Amino acid sequence: MEQGRFTYHEIMTQTEAWNEALDRVEAQRSDLLDLFRPDYEQIIFTGCGSTYYLSLAASALFQQCTGRIARAVPAGELLLNEGTVLRHSPEHSLLIAISRSGATTETLRAVEQFKTRTRGNVLAITNYPEHALPKLADLALVVEKGQEESVAQTRSFASMYVAAVATSLLVGARHADLHAMRRLAEVGARLLHDYAPLAQKMGANLNFDRFYFLGSGIRYGLACEANLKMKEMTLTHSEPFHFLEFRHGPMSMVNNRTVIVGLLSEANLPYEWAVLEEMRSLGATILSLSEADERASVQFQSGIPEIARGVLYLPVLQLMAYYRSLAKGLNPDRPTHLSAVVELGAL
């Protein structure tokens, strides 16, 4: 079997799953609005690995869209250290549990414990309707086209992220932004076509030995996920940081074998470019992604509002990790030591 064929197919076909995610949110519009109607004291997003990073991105975006306080925690922390997450009177809480498989042990146990000890509600976002998580939840968004054969999440992550963003926009009554998400698939397909050579060039260059992914605000969780793809698929030193935080110590690692990937925003563009240019002066190679800045390596040119287009940062970076994995003689479909579903017998 050709190594990486599943991963490549899943990256290249992910825009179909984006559209299905939007369809699912639209089909469950009334149920979603009912679920979010209570004035919850706490709204918590949770997951493991990629879906914890998805939770970081989604909780920040949800808060920005709705003005309602939200936070992200790993499911293992919610399970083992509940007192650091939930308030003493947690019955007015909403838990948004995200899991590709719907069968990850920590997430299932955390949801079961949450339901047993509180009277809060649970929304599940997943890709597999037959597994346990959607059955535990009060409401489930299931994006079946996000299902994957490979271990590292690409299409699944993007599909669930789109569902989370669309839900946030729906609850925040940002109807024009939600409607604009219908253009994402067309733009995503164009980016995959136009920037595949850049992704291959950057990924296959084995002179690079460390990658840092910078993103702030609603982009930080996406930077974390892009970092994880590089780490999982390619066994390369890779770390995520907020833009300005990178200058407080981590920049000491920069040299001429470093790639700095910048997920650029609109409002903070001058500050973010200043960081990237400083790292370039220290010898780093810069790969930047932006809506329309002419200096950026990847330009979306989408016309989609910033709050709604975050998924566009993912495809080119996923492809870069895929090509680096192949260049190193690895199999991106089956990263070292990993499995698609993490099950822990002790839990």
Side-chain angles (χ1 to χ4, degrees):
M1 183 182 71
E2 180 185 353
Q3 289 192 337
R5 69 183 182 93
F6 290 129
T7 299
Y8 182 77
H9 175 74
E10 287 152 9
I11 293 171
M12 299 303 291
T13 61
Q14 65 183 287
T15 56
E16 299 171 13
W18 300 2
N19 278 335
E20 187 188 45
L22 295 173
D23 291 342
R24 294 311 309 151
V25 170
E26 179 59 34
Q28 295 176 258
R29 169 185 289 263
S30 295
D31 290 338
L32 285 165
L33 290 174
D34 286 344
L35 183 68
F36 281 92
R37 189 163 287 116
D39 186 20
Y40 295 109
E41 292 183 1
Q42 298 179 102
I43 298 177
I44 299 164
F45 289 73
T46 196
C48 301
S50 283
T51 54
Y52 168 55
Y53 295 147
L54 199 164
S55 296
L56 284 173
S59 61
L61 188 138
F62 179 87
Q63 183 167 316
Q64 183 168 326
C65 285
T66 67
R68 301 168 73 172
I69 301 297
R71 63 181 293 203
V73 296
E77 287 300 294
L78 179 58
L79 175 65
L80 300 180
N81 296 294
E82 183 186 74
T84 68
V85 178
L86 296 176
R87 298 175 58 148
H88 293 302
S89 301
E91 60 267 19
H92 299 298
S93 300
L94 173 64
L95 180 63
I96 301 172
I98 308 172
S99 170
R100 169 177 60 177
S101 66
T104 301
T105 303
E106 294 111 297
T107 303
L108 294 180
R109 298 295 174 265
V111 170
E112 290 169 348
Q113 180 173 284
F114 178 86
K115 292 177 68 69
T116 298
R117 298 184 182 179
T118 79
R119 295 191 296 276
N121 294 321
V122 177
L123 170 65
I125 303 178
T126 184
N127 298 118
Y128 290 84
E130 69 274 16
H131 290 167
L133 181 60
K135 297 177 175 63
L136 287 171
D138 298 283
L139 182 64
L141 284 171
V142 182
V143 187
E144 294 188 59
K145 286 188 177 180
Q147 295 178 6
E148 293 167 327
E149 294 288 339
S150 56
V151 171
Q153 297 191 33
T154 54
R155 183 171 65 191
S156 61
F157 181 98
S159 71
M160 292 186 290
Y161 176 71
V162 168
V165 173
T167 298
S168 300
L169 294 173
L170 174 65
V171 174
R174 300 184 63 149
H175 305 302
D177 295 335
L178 179 57
H179 180 72
M181 291 186 74
R182 287 294 178 180
R183 303 201 300 273
L184 283 171
E186 178 183 355
V187 178
R190 172 171 55 80
L191 294 175
L192 282 164
H193 177 270
D194 291 352
Y195 290 103
L198 174 63
Q200 184 170 16
K201 177 183 176 182
M202 294 293 294
N205 187 342
L206 298 185
N207 289 322
F208 300 134
D209 70 357
R210 63 198 67 180
F211 287 73
Y212 298 102
F213 294 82
L214 309 187
S216 296
I218 60 176
R219 288 158 294 280
Y220 176 66
L222 299 178
C224 291
E225 169 60 12
N227 142 78
L228 184 61
K229 293 291 89 69
M230 182 61 67
K231 193 169 294 185
E232 287 177 324
M233 286 195 218
T234 79
L235 306 182
T236 299
H237 178 88
S238 175
E239 297 181 74
F241 291 95
H242 301 274
F243 265 93
L244 297 185
E245 274 296 297
F246 190 69
R247 300 179 68 253
H248 293 268
M251 64 184 285
S252 63
M253 295 289 290
V254 171
N255 59 29
N256 61 7
R257 302 188 69 184
T258 302
V259 176
I260 307 288
V261 179
L263 282 63
L264 296 167
S265 68
E266 291 180 357
N268 299 315
L269 197 62
Y271 301 100
E272 293 167 353
W273 266 117
V275 174
L276 295 182
E277 291 300 340
E278 184 176 3
M279 297 311 118
R280 194 194 308 272
S281 73
L282 297 177
T285 296
I286 304 300
L287 174 64
S288 53
L289 300 92
S290 170
E291 167 64 9
D293 192 292
E294 63 183 11
R295 297 167 292 179
S297 315
V298 175
Q299 298 176 35
F300 304 150
Q301 300 287 346
S302 71
I304 299 169
E306 185 169 37
I307 197 72
R309 65 170 182 255
V311 73
L312 297 178
Y313 290 100
L314 297 174
V316 175
L317 300 182
Q318 292 168 344
L319 270 182
M320 181 173 67
Y322 165 79
Y323 283 119
R324 185 171 181 83
S325 180
L326 294 183
K328 294 183 73 172
L330 303 171
N331 182 0
D333 290 347
R334 298 289 179 265
T336 304
H337 304 318
L338 300 182
S339 60
V341 181
V342 178
E343 297 177 320
L344 300 175
L347 299 179

